[in-house]
Amino acid sequence: MDIIKRKSSAKEIRGHLDNENDVEDQEEKPKYPKSVFFIISNEFCERFCFYGMRTVLVLYLRDMLGYTEGTSTIIYHLFTCVAYFFPIFGAILSDSWLGKFYTIFYLSIVYAIGQILLSLSAAGAAALPDAPATEFTMVGLFLIALGTGGIKPCVSAFGGDQFVLPQQEQQLSMFFSLFYFAINTGSLISTILTPVLRETKCWDNKCFFVSFIVPAALMIISIVIFVSGKRLYKIVSPSGNLFVKVSKCICHATYNKIKSKEKRDHWLDHADDTYDTELIEDVKIVFRVLKLFIPLPIFWALYDQQGSQWTFQATRMDGQMGSFVLLPDQLQAINPLLIMIFIPIFETFIYPAFDKIHFINTPLKKLVVGGFLASVAFIVAGVVELQIENTYPILPTDKLAQIRFFNTMDCNVRIDMGKHGRCTVLPLNMTEILDVKANGSVTIDYIADFTECSNKGYDITKKEMRGNITGREKEAWSFALSPSGLQESGYKDMVGKPEGGNPNVRGIIYLAPGLSDSTLTLRKDEKIVVSIPVSSNFSQSELIKIDDPGEYDVYLDDQLLQKEVPFKSGGVYSVVGSHIMHDNKIVGKTITVTPPNSLHMAWMLPQYIIITMAEVMFSVTGLQFAFTQAPLSMKSILTAGWLLSTAVGNIIVVIITGVRPFERQVFVIFLYAGVMAVVMVIFTVLTMFYKYVEIIDEEDIIDEDIPMKGKINSAYKHDEK
């Protein structure tokens, strides 16, 4: 394998030789900087804020602002894209003008303002119908993206500035371990907690306000903690922006290449009339690494869907675990938890074992395997989606309508629909006709026989009733049977899965003439949880969402109709009933219109395990690869390039979601898996031509019996290894 060896700059080497007191200084190791604990605590609070907010974001966009799942996904990934684009802005601001401390401080204030605006938008969406919730949300998300993205390249680097190198290399390594631990701890706790806060009640609705304001409070605390450590910080003044210098070098080389007909070994060599050779060679290395990064954004397109499409997938599954209900957005907590478990396992056991057998023993090989694991994770997610589809109800399609009859009485009703067939609607039950041919609409003549109901004490208008009902193409129409006959006007019913995953219920209760309006209630522990108005003028109620799935007692006013009826996630229910004149009582029963979610969320665990293994091998290794392969002066540029790949990956999701190439989500999932696999094959080919950069330590140079000038001038050389 070809290796490019790169040594330290001449200035650094001369400094090493000239400073005779360095040896004495190194013998007395500096104390561990207490300032880093303020930085680590700040990072914990900031990551708690970011991941806590992002965990519930797609559900807030859909359930409170009324966006579709597709639009919510687009907004979510656009936000993530912008958040990973602004690190460039933060790096330029820090290096050129403000320095790391003031960049972190000012942008953290912007961040906190954005989080507060988002909280206010949630309060407005819940309590004030005319509040500009959407506008507040978008401005808040932009400020959050600006803040979190801008401080991203500064915080870890600011922590590194607190150490004296090379005396404190081990302490610096420990700092980065603690720093990464703080990130994942903040992420884990907030990902578990904010969905619980979302489920609390305020303004008769789910309380997204609380799930946003708590992270906002943590962000404010993070600013206080960060500022409190100022007197202990070692603050390095800005030394000029390398981004600008590199950009000018590239533009100058491009201009000279277009203007000049002279052939050079590399097109960047055209800039050597203005820029020094060391800068040009460093930029060449940066371009070689960035060329490798070109296929990699697709990984982030897959990885970041844990917070969007995978969360929506979980809403269509069953989270019941004994008496505890696992919330769909809480599943995201599996990732940071597994990260904290997998990293030491990989570093201590798996990677050393691979090294011994010379298998997956280089950074690029780890990146390749990580990419293929991401593809496998989406194949598993696709298989799970296929199983979920098997639990979906049959929906009306082109040229077909669906007809449903709901019997509110405790007796059989027979219906003759001529060429459309005959059926018997059982007592307090439902009959479905799922394949009625309809070209736009269909009118069905019927004869309904109420003889049995008349014999059971119901005040039936006629024992036999005739009329017609109308159904419409690609729609489900429901009709209620009561002592007054068949409700011919009917209503368009919802038979698909509720978007939010929460169960929905409506009441279809017939009250005899003379009875006043009533209230249908669902009660738990004798407390009313859901109230549904029942009109004395017989009609179906609106669908009501049940925020907390579980078992409820069903009452009409103070009369118990049913005890401990399960209302499960994903189900649509109708409570039917009527007043029996003979016994002067109300009978009622709960009917399942759409079956609840039956596939358990535990089936998503394998895809989370695999995507987390992919993250360990891809994300952690990729960041390390970008750092180690970068010239000393270009590390921030390559790190920013790595972060930009995340932004591009989220743009890919936005484009695919916007285009929507397939109606069925499972095909979109398999599309991502296939594209990921193809891209990793291309990346594998590219890695075969990559020449690793290896840093030659300055001490090795000093010990060699070679003239110093010759070593300095041969900063880049190719060796076979």
Side-chain angles (χ1 to χ4, degrees), residues 5-24:
K5 291 190 176 182
R6 173 174 48 77
K7 65 178 182 58
S8 303
S9 68
K11 183 178 179 180
E12 291 174 316
I13 295 172
R14 284 195 298 271
H16 179 85
L17 294 173
D18 293 340
N19 292 324
E20 296 178 357
N21 295 327
D22 277 356
V23 176
E24 293 180 10

Side-chain angles (χ1 to χ4, degrees), residues 399-401 437-442 470-475 477:
K399 305 299 182 183
L400 293 176
K437 291 182 179 180
N439 188 8
S441 64
V442 58
T470 301
R472 292 182 175 84
E473 182 182 1
K474 293 188 70 175
E475 294 180 358
W477 279 80

